[in-house]
Amino acid sequence: MSGTSPGTPRLFSRGSWDEARRVADILRGETVGGALLLAGAVAAMIWANSPWSGAYEALRAVRVGPGALHLDLNLAAWASDGLLAIFFFVAGLELKREFVAGDLRQARRAAVPVAAAFGGVLVPAVLYLLVTLSSGAGDGATRGWAIPTATDIAFALAVLAVIGRYLPAALRTFLLTLAVVDDLLAIVIIAIFYTADLSVLPLLGALVPLALFAVLVQRRVRAWWPLLPLAAATWALVHASGVHATVAGVLLAFTVPVVRGERAGGPDAGPGLAEHFERRLRPLSAGVAVPVFAFLSAGVAFGGLSGLVTALTDPIAVGVVIGLVVGKPIGIMAATWLVSRFTRADLDENLAWVDVGGLSVLAGIGFTVSLLIGELAFGPGSERDAHVKVAVLTGSLIAALAAALVLRLRNRTYRRIHEADTADDDGDGIPDVYQEERP
């Protein structure tokens, strides 16, 4: 007999129709972006290991930008500092919308993915530190502790599109929200632990364009010509301060209102400015920013089989792989189980813990942010950075194959749930189960 009281929601129960539809739209876009990301990463690795590898490195090293503003950066730096700021801006918009107007504004629903994200950051970091410290790697090896803590949502959803087409909407929402919270934690970690030299004046100066941006968006201004220069100025000043420039993307996102003002009809009058910006910028983030970053960052020369073995036996690489493949699922599963025990909530009657386990393994796919942290920890182009890239790719591949094995075993159950959740006998465009549950 279940110990769940009638008033206690079940974990991973069906949410609202509006939220299910919105998440489905987001996931479709991210899945396409994931395919482009994979294409960019594969192209980079092929080029970096070809006889023309010198041309790849030369391309990464091309410098563009105004030197007077200290923005004469190479293309690889523009990708990690500039393009990923767009990625984090979209992630910030998504996170704010989820907690202000989405189903996760309910504390009980939000507790599960938030706790899971924290568990999925903490345990991989601890395992990485245990591996590197016990191996005596020394020489700053512990600086990479945050590398295996990040989940790449685009990469994970590209895999999910192949192996889990019928995965229930609640589980997809869980994975999406977990990854977004994960990204927010990553940006906090980058700002605190990977800022070497902090210049206070540019950082304080960034508050001026940030405040003006906030005033305009709070007044529901959506024209690009006043907003884009202010966003660019905020980004440039944060970059000049020594804090990683992607932090600016999150700060800007958090100023954007989620719901409409009363003059515009209030919350019931349609999507707010955050959702408007998200719809406009998500294709740019998923289709351009992240794939280009992958192309300019994933190219690592393996040096043949011996070079691959050398890379993967480096304690840093071992710690990254163990963190992604073992630490991620343990942390996410443990945190989710603790939430269920603390709230005395059971899983939804159609699901089992093996389903949570499969998603937890899938969350071990780390790519975009893991590569970024690897560069910040050990320096772009360094030997250890190359080993990190090999480890991230290896760990992500293992996680993808293991998740495929687990989730495919439950595909028949997912198909049955999918058919029940999408049945629309009255043909009004809204699945019947969402109408039946209306009060």
Side-chain angles (χ1 to χ4, degrees):
M1 179 179 295
S2 170
T4 306
S5 65
T8 303
R10 290 179 176 270
L11 300 182
F12 308 110
S13 59
R14 186 185 299 112
S16 66
W17 166 239
D18 289 340
E19 192 70 4
R21 182 175 53 185
R22 191 183 69 84
V23 168
D25 291 340
I26 291 174
L27 296 184
R28 276 192 291 271
E30 291 287 358
T31 301
V32 174
L36 294 174
L37 181 153
L38 291 175
V42 170
M45 286 186 286
I46 292 174
W47 194 356
N49 289 277
S50 73
W52 306 278
S53 59
Y56 175 76
E57 293 301 328
L59 175 65
R60 283 170 41 88
V62 170
R63 303 186 76 86
V64 295
L69 298 178
H70 303 287
L71 291 176
D72 53 336
L73 309 176
N74 59 42
L75 292 183
W78 274 112
S80 63
D81 292 7
L83 291 180
L84 285 192
I86 300 173
F87 167 79
F88 279 109
F89 180 75
V90 174
L93 291 174
E94 166 61 23
L95 187 67
K96 184 176 181 181
R97 193 207 174 281
E98 281 286 351
F99 284 96
V100 172
D103 284 353
L104 296 186
R105 65 184 182 277
Q106 303 171 19
R108 287 176 173 175
R109 281 189 175 273
V112 180
V114 170
F118 273 92
V121 167
L122 179 62
V123 176
V126 170
L127 290 182
Y128 175 91
L129 289 173
L130 289 176
V131 170
T132 53
L133 290 173
S134 63
S135 66
D139 194 22
T142 56
R143 279 187 55 79
W145 64 270
I147 295 170
T149 62
T151 296
D152 193 292
I153 186 60
F155 200 158
L157 290 176
V159 174
L160 194 63
V162 177
I163 64 176
R165 295 176 55 201
Y166 301 108
L167 197 72
L171 291 179
R172 290 176 180 268
T173 303
F174 169 74
L175 179 63
L176 175 64
T177 308
L178 182 152
V180 173
V181 176
D182 189 300
D183 288 336
L184 178 63
L185 294 175
I187 206 69
V188 172
I189 289 171
I190 288 171
I192 296 174
F193 296 99
Y194 293 97
T195 298
D197 299 310
L198 179 64
S199 298
V200 177
L201 287 180
L203 189 60
L204 292 176
L207 297 178
V208 176
L210 178 64
L212 292 174
F213 183 92
V215 169
L216 291 180
V217 293
Q218 289 298 323
R219 292 177 177 273
R220 273 60 180 181
V221 173
R222 59 176 64 186
W224 67 268
W225 58 269
L227 296 179
L228 187 58
L230 291 172
T234 303
W235 175 89
L237 287 167
V238 171
H239 182 274
S241 74
V243 177
H244 199 268
T246 51
V247 173
V250 175
L251 295 178
L252 289 164
F254 282 175
T255 68
V256 181
V258 170
V259 298
R260 286 175 175 262
E262 293 301 326
R263 291 184 178 180
D268 298 328
L273 199 56
E275 189 168 348
H276 169 76
F277 285 162
E278 186 183 337
R279 287 178 176 176
R280 290 293 185 88
L281 291 177
R282 187 174 292 280
L284 178 62
S285 171
V288 178
V290 174
V292 170
F293 170 78
F295 176 73
L296 291 172
S297 299
V300 55
F302 297 133
L305 181 59
S306 61
L308 190 60
V309 171
T310 299
L312 289 176
T313 53
D314 184 338
I316 289 174
V318 174
V320 170
V321 173
I322 290 177
L324 290 173
V325 176
V326 180
K328 270 290 186 182
I330 289 177
I332 292 170
M333 283 287 289
T336 305
W337 183 84
L338 287 173
V339 169
S340 73
R341 294 305 92 195
F342 181 76
T343 61
R344 298 182 180 179
D346 292 331
L347 291 179
D348 185 80
E349 60 185 3
N350 294 312
L351 301 174
W353 280 105
V354 67
D355 303 313
V356 185
L359 279 190
S360 301
V361 174
L362 188 66
I365 296 177
F367 193 82
T368 305
V369 180
S370 293
L371 294 181
L372 173 61
I373 295 176
E375 292 182 354
L376 295 175
F378 301 116
S382 66
E383 182 181 32
R384 281 186 161 172
D385 181 42
H387 292 179
V388 165
K389 291 177 180 179
V390 173
V392 169
L393 294 169
T394 302
S396 298
L397 179 60
I398 294 172
L401 294 175
L405 178 62
V406 175
L407 295 177
R408 290 292 290 179
L409 293 175
R410 295 277 290 169
N411 199 52
R412 183 177 299 178
T413 300
Y414 300 152
R415 185 189 291 267
R416 176 174 53 79
I417 297 172
H418 176 78
E419 290 173 352
D421 285 355
T422 56
D424 183 20
D425 293 338
D426 56 12
D428 64 352
I430 301 176
D432 299 332
V433 290
Y434 292 99
Q435 295 173 310
E436 292 169 2
E437 294 175 358
R438 289 178 178 175

